[in-house]
Amino acid sequence: MNIDPYVTAVGLIGDNDLTDELLARVLAALRAWSPDIDDATIQGVRRQLESSRGVSHSVGQGLHGGDIAPWVQDVKASITWNYWDAYAKQLRTKNFGTEVIRVLDQDTENILTECGNPQEAGPWVSKGLVMGDVQSGKTASYCGLICKAGDAGYKIIVLLTGMIEDLRAQSQERLDEGFVGRDSRKLLAKDRADIQIGAGRFSTKRPNVLTSIDSDFLKANQDALGGIPLQNISEPVLLVMKKNISPLSNLIDFLDSQMKKGGKSLDLPLLLIDDEADNASVNGRKDEDPAKINSLIRELLGRFTMASYVAYTATPFANVLINPDVEEDLFPANFVYSLETPSSYLGVTSYFGDDAPHSGAVKNIDDADKVLPYKHKKDHPVSGLPASLKDALGVFLLSCAVRDYRKELLRHRSMLVNASRFTDVQAQIATLLKNELYILTEDIKQYLASDDLWPNHERLMRLHELWATHYTDVNMEWHDVRRMLYESISSVKVVTVNQKSEESERLNYSLYEKSRHGRRVIAVGGLTLSRGLTLEGLCVSYFYRNSKAYDTLLQMGRWFGYRPGYDDLCRIWVDPIARDWYAHLAEVVTELRHDIGRMHVQRQPPIRFGMRIKSHPDALIVTAINKMRNANEVKVAVSYSCFGAETPLLPESADRNTTNLNRAKDFAIGLSNATLEGNRIFWKGIEKDRIARFLDGLHILEINTPFMKDSVSKSRPLIDFISSNSVMELHEWDVCIPQGKGTELNDFVLSVGESSTIKIRPRTRQFERTRKNSGFLRLNKQRVGDVSDELVGFENETKTQAEQDWEKERARDKKLGLSVPGYFYRRYRIRPLLTIHFIEPSDPKPDKIGEPNTEKLKNMFSAAEIESRLLVAISISFPNFDGLKKPVYYTLNKVALREAGLLDDEENDDDAD
């Protein structure tokens, strides 16, 4: 009997929840019905079922102003959900589990409710924001929302994608499949053949389209309506458009031509979905002279008496920093909705951080700097490929064989290489990769299958070493790999994906759907690969970029997403510095989601959510500056409730470090007798004014973002707040000095208790390399303290309560780590905490570049610093309190922005991707 094992298994499971017992019974039934089925096939079916059907999911959370009644709930039974029902059926054919579809149904109903009732007379406008993780299913969400909006009565539906045609075409293709149900190219060409695709197989309804996979909105596209006025169209009209001036202007002109003489707006309901809404849509200019794309979006909304604007993004930092007082701008005043991710989603917390379950998949790039420095020009010659990139290539080829051996349903295989923002440099990397791939493929073709020949070839021996390092636990033997590897990789191509790519270089996965091996590609690119574009079957990523803007880093992480059945094969090569930034981002993203959840419970409106996001200067000011770097000043309202600040970037000047050291010693000696709390010297009840004076006397670099100076007052807002606030909980501080394992300081003795004394032993810490004459030293991982520092001054009961509450959070969100993060402990503090870190620089670990440790240390520190081997850093932790907010102005010139890694020049560079 010829059966498709996976399809048969899905049929046996039906709508039942997948349990271990049910899975065992289904696999046993497959063996009984097909005795010849091999173990690899059975294991492949198991992995597919566990990743697609054994998924838990929960409904998202939102903030709203309370102005819109739950109208969908009231009319739900009276609406015929043609488009939605067809879409849900189509998702089931793509192996979406029942729980995932159920949650999608509820989420889209909640969002549609906030959008507004299209049957309600205008004028009205709704503006909202939907936040989802990178590559987490936002497309599925807004496709479902579009389907329901079409059923509910929205007549004009516009989807704005990014600024890249590849992304727009990919989005149109998804909407053709999920909503239109036909090939948009054929509809625009007035092809009479009514061939149904995707959701169209389950519905007789057909929306109108004015764009296609091949065409953004042109004035000629309006002919697809056959001259029928928009007011007379019965089914919704869909447009999928880039955020470019020309198509947006074309659409506005077309809408103007549809209006009655003297009219200024159409009496039709508009749903405008802005995908990647933090890209191009946010106004980077003064409110009275908005940027062109922002202005055109405002104009588009103003052409309708009933309009709903829904921004979708994984990185909403810039969106919530929009000025809410400018009514016509795009601040999400009506609602903010946070989508949850299924348990099968692999995001930043899956790969990065101390408790990340897939941290073993992340490998360091420590050999690329000599052939491709972080800072290079557009004509930089790339003399060769770093060994780490060759290894990543080998691992990708091996993963193709394993996935074929497992008989995966998804045939596409992708590898990502993002190592330069310049198209000419990307082209060089692609050429070198093509050569390396050709030579390696030829060796595999001619020698690998032979037991005697392959050990004589260096590349094949290295391939075997990579197999032994990465994939020995995949239930596949090396001799099986040798026999089938060539067939698995023979169709692999290297392509450059950027705005200069030829048509033949585009990914075009859909063209390979019927191909035996699908599309197997190594995609080399930069910005084009970093905004919304999906790399099907992505398994290996090589990321060598130094952007430190949070949204840019997250968007560049194309490896985030779903890896059904092959998550154990995925590998990510990154620079150690970027790895540490992603680990920090894992904390930022987790805390952001908890803030939304907390405000959801408290029924806080979006205007408060906006202020809350603004109140996190360390995480979000960088994004505002990056997005609005052409402005001279950025105004941000700040609060320091539950806020943590530290100084991982220390002065390079020996004189300044000596001054900091002496002031720290004098401050500690001047305090009353200390107590010992574990290995920490501890004081409590220290007046806030003493804390402020001490901090004000230190040389703290402004590149430590929370300690930037206010461009109006020229003072440091954080220090001013400490001294001048009227919050009772902040009048007295805890102070501590952690003891380390460094050299005991004979000249630094503190009184402890009634009659004891103690000498300070500094912590030993490694420093990262910085550019020559950078002006600062960077602590390893850009972190000063550790989580245990947050527990200073805690009673045992408080610590236990925090840990119990964290377990409750973990029960709600399975992706959270086991350990309680520092920011969570802060919420339980009684008093603010100042931690003074005396740091003895330790010899950096050797790396593969071959630079001796002692030489590295000399490059990092002046002779005086090496001799004294002592530096001072500080950490501050605020408790939870009712935050006081006030405007603070920050000004950074381009030198400061570049130094902080916050100026992304590629958007203004014609030679950048």
Side-chain angles (χ1 to χ4, degrees), residues 812-823:
R812 189 185 66 84
D813 187 348
K814 303 295 184 183
K815 295 186 289 296
L816 295 177
L818 291 172
S819 301
V820 183
Y823 75 81

Side-chain angles (χ1 to χ4, degrees), residues 457-495:
H457 294 268
E458 182 179 350
R459 280 182 170 84
L460 301 183
M461 285 292 290
R462 180 56 184 164
L463 203 61
H464 180 247
E465 291 174 6
L466 292 172
W467 172 263
T469 301
H470 291 269
Y471 292 151
T472 53
D473 58 349
V474 298
N475 297 320
M476 184 180 179
E477 300 299 328
W478 172 243
H479 62 82
D480 294 322
V481 177
R482 291 195 294 114
R483 285 199 299 268
M484 67 179 297
L485 184 58
Y486 176 69
E487 182 179 356
S488 294
I489 68 168
S490 59
S491 63
V492 173
K493 302 293 183 184
V494 178
V495 300

Side-chain angles (χ1 to χ4, degrees), residues 353-407:
D354 295 336
D355 297 320
H358 292 269
S359 59
V362 183
K363 308 300 176 184
N364 286 342
I365 299 174
D366 50 19
D367 61 349
D369 189 63
K370 289 199 171 181
V371 296
L372 192 65
Y374 259 155
K375 295 290 185 181
H376 59 267
K377 297 183 177 180
K378 66 180 181 180
D379 57 353
H380 174 77
V382 184
S383 58
L385 298 177
S388 56
L389 182 49
K390 293 180 181 179
D391 284 352
L393 170 63
V395 170
F396 172 64
L397 299 182
L398 292 170
S399 72
C400 289
V402 178
R403 295 170 69 180
D404 286 349
Y405 181 77
R406 290 175 173 177
K407 300 181 179 178

Side-chain angles (χ1 to χ4, degrees), residues 266-335:
L266 290 168
D267 193 23
L268 292 170
L270 164 75
L271 174 63
L272 175 57
I273 294 178
D274 187 353
D275 192 19
E276 305 293 338
D278 60 314
N279 183 29
S281 302
V282 177
N283 183 27
R285 297 181 183 174
K286 295 181 179 179
D287 294 324
E288 61 269 19
D289 181 28
K292 190 61 178 178
I293 299 299
N294 176 269
S295 178
L296 288 170
I297 294 174
R298 296 186 194 186
E299 285 189 48
L300 181 55
L301 291 170
R303 291 303 193 272
F304 293 85
T305 58
M306 298 161 282
S308 180
Y309 171 83
V310 185
Y312 270 80
T313 181
T315 48
F317 311 126
N319 300 83
V320 297
L321 287 173
I322 296 170
N323 186 353
D325 298 328
V326 180
E327 187 175 345
E328 63 270 22
D329 207 349
L330 305 179
F331 180 79
N334 297 88
F335 69 94

Side-chain angles (χ1 to χ4, degrees), residues 425-598:
V425 176
Q426 293 167 17
Q428 292 183 71
I429 295 171
T431 298
L432 291 168
L433 271 171
K434 288 175 182 177
N435 293 338
E436 181 67 23
L437 175 64
Y438 175 78
I439 296 170
L440 183 53
T441 301
E442 286 297 303
D443 283 354
I444 291 169
K445 176 183 177 181
Q446 297 183 44
Y447 309 116
L448 188 61
S450 169
D451 294 338
D452 300 325
L453 296 178
W454 75 267
N456 299 320
H457 294 268
E458 182 179 350
R459 280 182 170 84
L460 301 183
M461 285 292 290
R462 180 56 184 164
L463 203 61
H464 180 247
E465 291 174 6
L466 292 172
W467 172 263
T469 301
H470 291 269
Y471 292 151
T472 53
D473 58 349
V474 298
N475 297 320
M476 184 180 179
E477 300 299 328
W478 172 243
H479 62 82
D480 294 322
V481 177
R482 291 195 294 114
R483 285 199 299 268
M484 67 179 297
L485 184 58
Y486 176 69
E487 182 179 356
S488 294
I489 68 168
S490 59
S491 63
V492 173
K493 302 293 183 184
V494 178
V495 300
T496 54
V497 182
N498 54 48
Q499 297 196 62
K500 294 183 180 180
S501 298
E502 299 293 333
E503 177 68 29
S504 60
E505 290 277 87
R506 291 184 176 175
L507 294 173
N508 290 332
Y509 291 103
S510 61
L511 296 179
Y512 295 81
E513 285 297 333
K514 296 182 180 179
S515 170
R516 179 183 176 189
H517 288 114
R519 180 63 151 149
R520 306 206 167 182
V521 64
I522 299 170
V524 181
L527 182 63
T528 302
L529 289 176
S530 305
R531 270 288 177 184
L533 203 63
T534 298
L535 295 171
E536 299 285 353
L538 179 63
C539 192
V540 173
S541 301
Y542 191 89
F543 180 75
Y544 190 66
R545 301 290 296 276
N546 69 337
S547 174
K548 294 182 180 64
Y550 290 7
D551 51 358
T552 304
L553 277 172
L554 282 173
Q555 292 289 353
M556 285 184 174
R558 294 292 99 189
W559 51 83
F560 303 136
Y562 303 96
R563 305 290 175 251
Y566 66 97
D567 59 317
D568 60 323
L569 306 179
C570 294
R571 297 293 183 270
I572 305 165
W573 270 263
V574 294
D575 182 273
I577 296 175
R579 183 176 188 163
D580 295 335
W581 272 96
Y582 276 114
H584 177 61
L585 268 176
E587 293 185 10
V588 172
V589 170
T590 301
E591 186 169 4
L592 177 59
R593 290 196 174 280
H594 282 297
D595 282 345
I596 294 173
R598 185 166 60 250

